[in-house]
């Protein structure tokens, strides 16, 4: 006997990953869409008349996000102007293909699309960065640059908000990861559905309570056009551990993902714990927790030919840069080397080496 | 975690190798502390301890925790929860060093050793209690009174009153064995077993088991007029508990679950005095003293380490990660130390005794089907939602939870 849909009694086609309830296709669509609508209205994510940039990568989450945002905007009359915003990291064999998907989506949903590239913003493509730093920590560069690129793109398009396709699994994974890394500042803010400080464009995650598996199923049944390849540069070691743990946990108890998010929301941080103070970057004016924002520090590292210095402790980086400059000065005085070459001076590199 | 090994010569990879080389070049044939003793154990990479220095190290660490928190006062009645596992036996021995006549700062609290016997729940059936009692007997120097409490007692109606009555009649005995109470223990054990078999998931079983254990301890503390209970969870246990608490929706109570002092209940403090210890340190300390560990079973002991239960999975995950990234556990413990309890708590949960945080009604309503949020905490609501209808038997009749369940559950 076929399993019946718990809502309407018709033949069920799936068990919801969230609570293992059997549903038919139509009921699944309506429950899925309604829950996201609920999340949006309960958290008052948008106001009528706002322009919203949808961060679109061409992957399943953002494709479903674009589809759902358009659908809900029409169905419930949110009164939003939707724009697709894509970032081209310059990864050949991956991003160029996925951007093709986004371009097709643009036509399917008839939404305006803006593509911004790392090349035009920073003068570096990810291909070039990976050539420089190798396959480890490259995701740190990409992540920092993309975050800023999205903001800049949204500012260019005069958007009020950015929506991203982060789903419940992503957020739960981040909670676990921040605990394991002891990143208390991020632990405090990673579960909030809408983030953004004064003067910055706020970002929100309408899929905060939506299971990744349900997004996949929705895209599958709706036959949405999305791109499935993993990034060629992301071995992503540490997040991978958290991910495996989370998937195992989901097998034992499907609701665990939501419980982790609840736990993340419920945590309170001691008042005496020192938190990084948010200020603005002296160089580009973007939000930063020190004098310069991380993107400027990283770009500086890349341009100097010492990208590894831009990851890790800030004061260590400053100390090393200061030392390099002094050495360069000294070397210049002795007439052995000019300032520009000093960075690559072997003796300097060895001093730097010994500091670790 | 450093990178760029594949890129050119200026890599952190080569630095790592150099460091390891430098470390391994150190003299490893003598104790790194006294430079004379024979190496006994390595607890930090490249730093071997001799037996005597290792003893000093662990004893100092144990006393440091108690000293820093200034938790013990002369004459305090101190409940010491001994389960028989390695860390609990190490805790007992470490505590005993404080009563040694040679100790320059003696512990003056009055220790009451509590052994909760839950072995009837598991198939092996052999009770670890006789072995634990023998072990307790072997501990020198320490004044002691031992309490043996069968776990099934918590299922007795008016549990607290009956135990109190029994205690009053036997308070001067060296070993107060609650098994001697005039109660049908077999019947209670059956009802406990059937209750637990009605809990569908092992995760929920473990969760509720632990809560009931804490209820026994806190009730006993009340009967003995004691306000302090020593628990023996090590750093590894607590790191895993932090993560599993997050996974079962107890995020609001992480400080209670994992910090040195656990003040979940007003009037009773659980002391996690082994918080800074690793299981390895405990095991080697016992080895120094020639103490053999006692096997203690749990609900998931014999199950698959990945899909067994939430607790089991977290244990496996944390120890696996610790093996690859050796700073994992200490980082998790540091994260825990930076958290504080939520301020909007009204009362304590009837099952796990943790404070309940108040929420706006519609925020919590994501999945829970039990409408008990004002009497139970989020974690216990989740655990109880995985029980069959006989759920109402689960919670001790001594508490008022049964009444609540009767009121709210549709059978």
């Amino acid at each position: 006997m076929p399993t019946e849909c718990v809502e309407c009694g018709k033949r069920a086609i799936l068990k919801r990953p969230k609570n293992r309830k059997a549903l038919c296709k139509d009921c699944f669509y309506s429950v899925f869409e309604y829950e996201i609508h609920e999340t949006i209205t309960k958290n008052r994510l948008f106001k009528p008349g706002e322009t919203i940039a949808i961060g679109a990568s061409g992957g399943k989450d953002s494709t479903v996000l674009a589809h759902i945002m358009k659908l809900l905007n029409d169905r419930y009359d949110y009164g939003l102007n939707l724009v697709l915003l894509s970032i081209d990291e310059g990864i050949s064999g991956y991003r160029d293909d996925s951007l093709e998907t986004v371009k097709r989506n643009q036509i399917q949903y008839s939404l305006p699309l803006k593509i911004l590239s790392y090349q035009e913003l920073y003068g570096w493509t990810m291909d070039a960065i990976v050539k420089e730093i190798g396959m480890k920590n490259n995701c740190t560069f990409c992540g920092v640059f993309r975050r800023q690129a999205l903001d800049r793109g949204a500012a260019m398009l005069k958007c009020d908000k950015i929506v991203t396709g982060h789903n419940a699994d992503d957020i739960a994974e981040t909670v676990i990861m921040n605990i394991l890394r002891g990143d208390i500042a991020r632990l405090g803010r990673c579960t909030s559905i809408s983030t953004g400080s004064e003067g910055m464009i706020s970002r929100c995650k309408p899929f905060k309570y939506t299971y990744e598996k349900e997004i996949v199923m929705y895209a599958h049944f709706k036959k949405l056009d999305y791109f499935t390849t993993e990034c060629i540069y992301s071995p992503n070691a540490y997040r991978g551990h958290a991910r495996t743990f989370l998937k195992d946990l989901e097998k034992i108890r499907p609701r665990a993902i939501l419980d982790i998010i609840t736990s993340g929301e419920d945590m309170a941080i001691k008042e005496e714990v020192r938190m990084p103070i948010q200020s603005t970057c002296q160089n580009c004016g973007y939000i930063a927790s020190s004098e310069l924002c991380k993107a400027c520090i990283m770009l500086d590292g890349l341009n100097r030919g010492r990208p590894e210095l831009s990851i890790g402790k800030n004061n260590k980086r400053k100390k090393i840069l200061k030392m390099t400059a002094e050495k360069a000065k000294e070397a210049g005085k002795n007439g052995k080397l000019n300032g520009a070459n000093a960075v690559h001076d072997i003796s300097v590199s060895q001093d730097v080496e010994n500091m670790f | 975690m450093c990178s760029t090994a594949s890129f050119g010569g200026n890599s952190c990879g080569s630095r790592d190798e150099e460091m390891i080389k430098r470390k391994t070049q150190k003299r490893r044939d003598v104790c790194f502390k006294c430079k004379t003793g024979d190496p006994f154990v390595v607890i930090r990479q490249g730093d071997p301890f001799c037996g005597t220095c290792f003893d000093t190290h662990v004893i100092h660490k144990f006393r440091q925790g108690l000293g820093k928190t200034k938790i013990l006062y002369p004459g305090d009645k101190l409940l010491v929860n001994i389960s028989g596992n390695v860390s609990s036996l190490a805790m007992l021995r470490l505590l005993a060093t404080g009563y040694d006549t040679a100790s320059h700062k003696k512990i003056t609290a009055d220790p009451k050793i509590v052994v909760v016997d839950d072995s009837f729940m598991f198939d092996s059936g052999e009770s670890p209690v006789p072995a634990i009692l023998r072990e307790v007997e072997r501990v020198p120097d320490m004044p002691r009174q031992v309490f043996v409490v069968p776990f099934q007692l918590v299922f007795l109606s008016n549990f607290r009153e009956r135990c109190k009555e029994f205690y009053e009649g036997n308070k001067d005995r060296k070993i107060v064995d609650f098994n001697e109470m005039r109660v049908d223990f077999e019947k209670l054990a059956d009802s406990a077993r059937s209750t637990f078999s009605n809990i569908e998931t092992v995760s929920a079983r473990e969760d509720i088991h632990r809560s009931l254990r804490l209820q026994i301890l806190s009730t006993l503390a009340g009967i003995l007029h004691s306000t302090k209970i020593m628990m023996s969870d090590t750093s590894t246990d607590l790191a895993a508990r932090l993560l599993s608490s997050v996974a079962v929706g107890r995020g609001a109570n992480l400080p209670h679950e994992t910090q040195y002092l656990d003040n979940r209940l007003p009037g009773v403090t659980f002391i996690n005095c082994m918080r800074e210890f690793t299981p390895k340190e405990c095991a080697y300390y016992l080895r120094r003293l020639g103490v053999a560990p006692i096997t203690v079973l749990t609900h998931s002991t014999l199950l698959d380490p990945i899909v067994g239960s939430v607790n089991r999975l977290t244990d496996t995950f944390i120890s696996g990660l610790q093996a690859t990234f050796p700073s994992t556990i200490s980082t998790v413990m540091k994260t825990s130390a930076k958290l504080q309890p939520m301020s909007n708590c009204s009362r304590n949960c009837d099952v796990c005794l943790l404070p309940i945080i108040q929420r706006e009604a519609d925020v919590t309503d994501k999945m829970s089907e039990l409408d008990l949020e004002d009497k139970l905490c989020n974690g216990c609501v989740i655990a109880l939602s995985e029980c069959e209808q006989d759920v109402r038997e689960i919670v001790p009749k001594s508490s008022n939870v049964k009444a609540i369940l009767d009121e709210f559950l549709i059978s």
Side-chain angles (χ1 to χ4, degrees):
Chain A
M1 211 185 98
T3 320
E4 284 176 3
C5 168
V6 291
E7 298 286 330
C8 66
K10 277 197 250 164
R11 189 180 175 156
I13 53 154
L14 61 86
K15 258 197 262 168
R16 279 194 81 180
K18 200 174 191 170
N19 49 19
R20 297 188 180 157
K21 273 186 186 161
L23 290 178
C24 69
K25 206 189 248 182
D26 291 331
C27 290
F28 172 62
Y29 290 158
S30 67
V31 169
F32 183 85
E33 287 154 9
Y34 185 71
E35 279 185 0
I36 294 162
H37 169 65
E38 282 262 276
T39 311
I40 291 174
T41 47
K42 262 187 194 163
N43 294 288
R44 295 187 195 94
L45 292 187
F46 313 117
K47 286 186 205 126
E50 281 181 333
T51 306
I52 308 292
I54 303 171
S57 65
K60 57 177 174 19
D61 296 314
S62 59
T63 305
V64 174
L65 182 68
H67 175 89
I68 287 274
M69 284 301 293
K70 170 129 176 89
L71 185 104
L72 296 180
N73 192 25
D74 294 345
R75 184 184 294 167
Y76 297 102
D77 207 8
Y78 291 161
L80 303 174
N81 305 316
L82 300 175
V83 189
L84 292 174
L85 175 59
S86 289
I87 306 299
D88 180 4
E89 293 96 343
I91 304 173
S92 47
Y94 166 69
R95 188 51 90 210
D96 35 8
D97 293 348
S98 72
L99 283 176
E100 288 308 312
T101 320
V102 180
K103 283 176 193 159
R104 284 199 299 277
N105 287 340
Q106 179 201 2
I107 302 163
Q108 287 153 4
Y109 305 137
S110 56
L111 294 174
L113 165 70
K114 167 87 187 163
I115 300 178
L116 260 182
S117 73
Y118 280 10
Q119 179 67 46
E120 57 184 283
L121 280 176
Y122 307 108
W124 287 81
T125 62
M126 269 316 282
D127 286 340
I129 294 175
V130 171
K131 226 178 241 169
E132 191 76 6
I133 58 166
M135 288 284 271
K136 280 186 187 165
N137 287 339
N138 52 343
C139 297
T140 314
F141 281 83
C142 192
V144 169
F145 286 156
R146 187 171 42 247
R147 196 191 155 84
Q148 216 182 71
L150 267 178
D151 272 340
R152 291 195 186 186
M156 278 180 203
L157 296 168
K158 301 207 170 47
C159 292
D160 302 292
K161 270 164 198 158
I162 304 172
V163 288
T164 53
H166 290 106
N167 55 42
D169 297 48
D170 294 334
I171 296 169
E173 204 176 283
T174 313
V175 172
I176 301 278
M177 228 172 71
N178 286 336
I179 291 173
L180 292 174
R181 293 194 312 194
D183 194 336
I184 205 84
R186 284 204 183 83
L187 188 59
R189 58 174 190 251
C190 68
T191 49
S192 51
I193 189 158
S194 167
T195 50
S197 57
E198 272 173 60
M200 303 306 295
I201 298 170
S202 90
R203 303 157 159 259
C204 41
K205 309 163 190 157
F207 285 169
K208 184 182 169 189
Y209 300 113
T210 312
Y211 275 45
E212 184 179 25
K213 285 182 180 156
E214 299 201 352
I215 294 176
V216 175
M217 285 195 173
Y218 188 82
H220 171 74
F221 286 124
K222 284 267 180 184
K223 300 201 172 57
L224 297 184
D225 181 6
Y226 67 92
F227 181 78
T228 44
T229 314
E230 281 266 317
C231 175
I232 50 172
Y233 292 142
S234 72
N236 232 346
Y238 209 72
R239 190 171 270 273
H241 291 296
R243 194 166 194 86
T244 321
F245 172 62
L246 196 75
K247 296 296 166 205
D248 288 337
L249 204 57
E250 196 188 350
K251 262 179 234 152
I252 299 176
R253 187 184 259 176
R255 60 167 300 165
I257 292 176
L258 286 182
D259 294 335
I260 292 175
I261 298 178
T262 314
S263 287
E265 289 166 344
D266 287 348
M267 279 179 215
I269 294 155
K270 276 186 187 163
E271 278 156 24
E272 63 262 31
V273 174
R274 240 182 63 208
M275 299 281 257
I277 304 154
Q278 286 193 341
S279 56
T280 48
C281 172
Q282 289 176 358
N283 195 18
C284 68
Y286 189 73
I287 185 168
S289 51
S290 63
E291 291 164 23
L292 295 176
C293 69
K294 200 74 197 163
C296 284
I297 293 173
M298 289 183 152
L299 208 55
D300 181 58
L302 281 169
N303 292 334
R304 274 172 195 272
R306 299 298 308 261
E308 72 277 11
L309 291 186
S310 48
I311 301 165
K313 291 257 158 60
N314 221 350
N315 7 0
K316 202 180 263 177
R317 182 187 67 91
K318 278 185 196 159
K319 217 169 163 183
I320 294 169
L321 287 181
K322 202 174 149 197
M323 211 170 73
T324 337
E326 275 169 14
K327 284 261 177 184
K329 223 171 163 187
E330 229 170 75
K333 264 185 206 162
N334 298 340
K336 283 178 195 164
L337 280 163
N338 64 31
N341 289 344
V343 180
H344 301 292
D345 182 1
I346 295 164
S347 66
V348 175
S349 306
Q350 273 169 354
D351 285 347
V352 170
E353 214 89 309
N354 295 336
M355 293 184 64
F356 285 89
Chain B
M1 295 253 301
C2 206
S3 70
T4 61
S6 56
F7 169 72
N10 295 343
S11 68
C12 307
S14 63
R15 260 197 306 273
D16 284 350
E17 279 161 27
E18 246 172 58
M19 263 218 335
I20 293 169
K21 220 168 157 190
R22 235 180 287 153
K23 285 238 164 177
T24 43
Q25 272 168 359
K26 260 192 199 171
R27 289 193 64 193
R28 304 196 64 172
D29 50 348
V30 290
C31 168
F32 92 106
K33 203 101 196 174
C34 64
K35 315 281 187 225
T36 52
D38 286 338
F40 168 68
V41 59
V42 179
I43 44 174
R44 273 196 313 251
Q45 195 192 13
D47 293 337
F49 270 109
C50 70
T52 327
C53 290
F54 174 69
D55 288 351
T56 323
H57 167 77
V58 284
I59 293 169
H60 174 75
K61 190 147 79 168
F62 182 77
R63 296 301 299 273
Q64 195 180 31
L66 292 175
K68 260 189 195 164
T69 47
K70 296 193 181 122
I71 183 77
L72 295 185
Y73 288 94
D76 266 351
K77 279 183 187 157
L78 178 65
L79 254 57
V80 186
N81 176 34
I82 302 293
S83 65
N85 64 12
V86 174
S87 62
S88 72
L89 295 179
M91 170 176 80
L92 182 66
R93 288 302 185 120
L94 285 166
L95 182 68
T97 59
Y99 293 93
D100 186 352
T101 37
S103 167
H104 79 284
K105 250 188 171 179
K106 286 178 82 167
I107 295 177
T108 41
D110 176 16
K112 309 275 181 195
I113 292 161
V114 186
V115 184
V116 179
D117 181 12
D118 52 13
S119 55
F120 74 95
M121 300 274 284
F122 312 109
D123 283 341
S124 93
E126 200 186 314
S127 165
V129 174
I132 296 174
L133 292 182
R134 272 198 302 278
E135 206 38 66
V136 172
E137 207 42 53
R138 281 181 58 200
V139 179
D141 307 320
M142 192 163 108
R144 77 210 78 177
Q145 188 178 18
V146 184
F147 296 81
V148 179
V149 190
F151 180 79
Q152 62 266 46
L153 263 189
V154 79
F155 287 82
L156 189 66
S157 50
N158 54 25
F159 155 62
R160 189 194 151 90
E161 291 72 27
R162 299 282 295 274
C163 287
K164 187 169 183 180
E165 193 185 312
F166 178 78
Y167 168 69
E168 296 296 340
N170 298 280
K171 54 164 55 164
D172 297 325
R173 291 165 71 170
K174 208 174 151 197
I175 297 180
V176 181
D177 190 345
F178 286 85
N179 279 308
E180 291 167 15
M181 278 169 72
R182 256 181 257 135
V183 170
D184 187 350
F185 281 100
E186 262 318 300
K187 206 177 142 202
L188 276 182
D190 282 342
S191 102
R193 269 189 290 254
S194 79
T195 306
F196 272 83
S197 64
N198 278 336
I199 307 174
E200 283 165 28
T201 62
V202 183
S203 310
R205 241 176 255 178
E206 284 186 327
D207 198 297
I208 292 165
H209 191 116
R210 189 174 113 83
S211 301
L212 293 184
R213 223 185 148 90
L214 292 179
Q215 288 214 7
I216 296 177
L217 289 172
S218 61
T219 310
L220 195 64
I223 294 172
L224 300 178
H225 303 292
S226 155
T227 55
K228 284 147 200 174
I229 307 175
M230 269 189 162
M231 307 296 281
S232 66
D233 298 297
T234 60
S235 58
T236 313
D237 299 332
L238 293 174
R241 177 161 320 136
L242 184 132
L243 221 52
S244 61
S245 298
V246 169
V248 300
R250 295 187 189 276
N253 303 112
L254 294 183
H256 296 299
E257 294 279 50
T258 57
Q259 285 175 4
Y260 194 84
L261 297 182
D262 168 2
N263 291 311
R264 63 179 73 195
L265 269 182
V268 181
T269 308
F270 292 93
I271 310 170
N272 287 319
C273 57
M274 303 301 279
R275 190 179 186 271
E276 308 295 327
F277 287 81
T278 61
K280 183 176 176 181
E281 285 169 320
C282 298
Y284 273 87
Y285 187 60
L286 289 187
R287 203 187 143 137
R288 284 276 298 161
L289 300 167
V291 177
I294 298 162
T295 313
V296 189
L297 294 181
T298 68
H299 291 278
S300 59
T301 309
L302 302 172
L303 299 181
D304 183 278
I306 301 290
V307 295
S309 74
V310 174
N311 284 340
R312 192 70 200 280
L313 170 66
T314 344
D315 273 345
T316 318
F317 173 65
I318 279 278
S319 356
L321 210 56
Q322 172 75 10
T324 336
F325 305 105
S327 61
T328 305
I329 287 173
S330 71
T331 315
V332 174
M333 286 291 89
K334 274 181 210 152
T335 312
S336 130
K338 287 176 188 159
L339 299 171
Q340 66 177 12
M342 296 285 269
S343 50
N344 52 342
C345 300
S346 48
R347 48 166 296 177
N348 290 72
C349 171
D350 282 335
V351 178
C352 67
L353 313 172
L354 285 164
I356 307 170
I357 67 156
Q358 287 180 320
R359 304 159 191 274
E360 292 164 32
D362 59 332
V363 183
T364 45
D365 185 33
K366 276 177 227 126
M367 280 174 95
S368 90
E369 279 149 22
L370 291 174
D371 185 20
L372 292 167
E373 254 128 45
D374 50 341
K375 311 281 168 140
L376 301 179
C377 73
N378 191 32
C380 289
V381 171
I382 294 167
L384 287 179
S385 68
E386 292 183 349
C387 306
E388 284 177 13
Q389 264 170 21
D390 291 347
V391 70
R392 53 194 68 191
E393 294 300 324
I394 237 174
V395 190
K397 290 164 189 156
S398 57
S399 77
N400 54 350
V401 180
K402 184 172 161 23
I404 303 160
L405 290 173
D406 278 334
E407 187 186 337
F408 285 100
L409 275 188
I410 311 153
S411 51

